[in-house]
């Protein structure tokens, strides 16, 4: 009897942890599996708070995983360069507060180039932690790319140079993780300048190797 109770509990926990459905039309209930061999009716349990992401079991830093209670259903990835030779999340945070009068750094992630943060180091900003809209495509409230697109900034000016090998590897790992978690297709990975509706900009720089990134993602 105790053993049967454990199986039922485990089954319920598995259903709660799965949450792989993106279907808004689905009723907010799920069926718990039953360990009973008899034809007893399945038990109805309530869904946990909204969480539409796919639960991917990847070996990624824990701070890449948002808290389920606030996690958004992101639909695109937008890549930027900082257009500076150096920088990190804290520096961009200060600049965006002081010069742009935003509530902080506009991006969700910043990937360092070895100047003010590690080469290939991925910094997670308050926007990703809070799952709040970004300010990386114009800073305009209501802009779809800010609302639904994940903003990743690589430190560097890629009109002049290319990202470092470590930056590209970190970017590919991060984008791959985000693609799987939110079911984002390759066609929804944009450079800032190719984002539908974005203002005219060189970002992420003429030398940013977008086709190389997509090649890395297919491996
Ligand atoms: Zn940009």
């Amino acid at each position: 009897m105790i053993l049967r109770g454990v199986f039922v509990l485990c089954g319920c926990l598995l259903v709660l942890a799965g949450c792989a459905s993106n279907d808004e039309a689905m009723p907010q209930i799920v069926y718990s599996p039953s360990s009973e061999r008899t034809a007893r009716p399945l038990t109805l349990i309530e869904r946990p708070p909204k969480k539409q992401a796919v639960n991917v079991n990847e070996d990624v830093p824990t701070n890449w995983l948002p808290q389920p209670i606030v996690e958004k259903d992101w639909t695109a990835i937008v890549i930027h360069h900082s257009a500076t030779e150096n920088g990190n999340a804290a520096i961009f945070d200060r600049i965006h507060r002081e010069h742009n009068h935003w509530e902080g750094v506009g991006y969700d992630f910043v990937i360092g180039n070895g100047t003010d943060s590690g080469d290939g180091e991925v910094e997670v900003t308050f926007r990703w932690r809070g799952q709040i809209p970004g300010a990386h495509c114009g800073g305009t409230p209501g802009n779809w790319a800010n609302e639904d697109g994940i903003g990743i900034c690589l430190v560097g000016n890629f009109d002049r140079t290319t990202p470092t090998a470590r930056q590209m590897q970190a970017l590919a790992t991060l984008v791959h993780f985000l693609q799987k978690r939110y079911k984002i297709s390759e066609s929804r990975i944009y450079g800032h300048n190719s984002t539908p509706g974005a203002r005219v900009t060189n970002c992420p720089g003429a030398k940013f190797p977008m086709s190389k990134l997509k090649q890395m993602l297919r491996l």
Side-chain angles (χ1 to χ4, degrees):
M1 190 62 190
I2 292 173
L3 194 58
R4 194 176 69 187
V6 169
F7 282 139
V8 170
L9 178 62
C10 290
C12 291
L13 287 175
L14 279 174
V15 170
L16 286 170
C19 300
S21 173
N22 274 329
D23 188 353
E24 290 280 8
M26 286 288 286
Q28 294 300 299
I29 50 173
V30 290
Y31 292 99
S32 71
S34 170
S35 63
E36 303 287 346
R37 290 188 182 278
T38 54
R40 289 179 61 181
L42 296 171
T43 313
L44 293 177
I45 60 172
E46 287 190 10
R47 269 193 194 283
K50 181 183 174 187
K51 176 182 177 301
Q52 300 182 345
V54 176
N55 194 9
V56 286
N57 294 314
E58 289 196 72
D59 186 18
V60 296
T62 51
N63 64 351
W64 291 11
L65 295 160
Q67 293 297 313
I69 194 112
V70 293
E71 188 162 18
K72 268 174 60 112
D73 191 17
W74 302 94
T75 64
I77 295 167
V78 183
I79 298 168
H80 304 261
H81 71 161
S82 66
T84 58
E85 288 180 8
N86 64 299
N88 61 23
I91 291 171
F92 302 144
D93 188 80
R94 182 167 49 77
I95 293 170
H96 287 173
R97 281 175 198 276
E98 292 177 3
H99 294 273
N100 301 57
H101 306 292
W102 297 342
E103 53 188 323
V105 60
Y107 315 111
D108 294 284
F109 298 94
V110 175
I111 302 180
N113 65 350
T115 53
D116 294 308
S117 60
D119 185 8
E121 179 182 342
V122 178
E123 291 184 283
V124 179
T125 78
F126 77 103
R127 292 190 189 268
W128 186 252
R129 284 193 296 275
Q131 294 284 286
I132 59 176
H136 50 90
C137 272
T140 320
N143 174 329
W144 81 266
N146 285 331
E147 296 287 332
D148 299 328
I150 303 165
I152 303 173
C153 175
L154 281 74
V155 180
N157 184 334
F158 307 136
D159 277 324
R160 295 183 189 155
T161 61
T162 54
T164 69
R166 284 173 186 250
Q167 278 184 303
M168 286 304 290
Q169 192 53 59
L171 177 64
T173 304
L174 176 61
V175 170
H176 178 72
F177 161 72
L178 296 170
Q179 267 194 291
K180 279 182 73 176
R181 190 165 182 86
Y182 303 106
K183 296 181 180 170
I184 297 172
S185 66
E186 188 181 292
S187 64
R188 300 278 293 175
I189 300 169
Y190 301 109
H192 184 176
N193 54 5
S194 63
T195 305
R199 64 183 166 79
V200 176
T201 172
N202 271 0
C203 182
K207 294 185 177 177
F208 178 80
M210 182 61 87
S211 54
K212 182 181 173 187
L213 171 66
K214 294 194 173 178
Q215 226 172 35
M216 291 169 80
L217 292 169
R218 289 184 206 127
L219 292 177

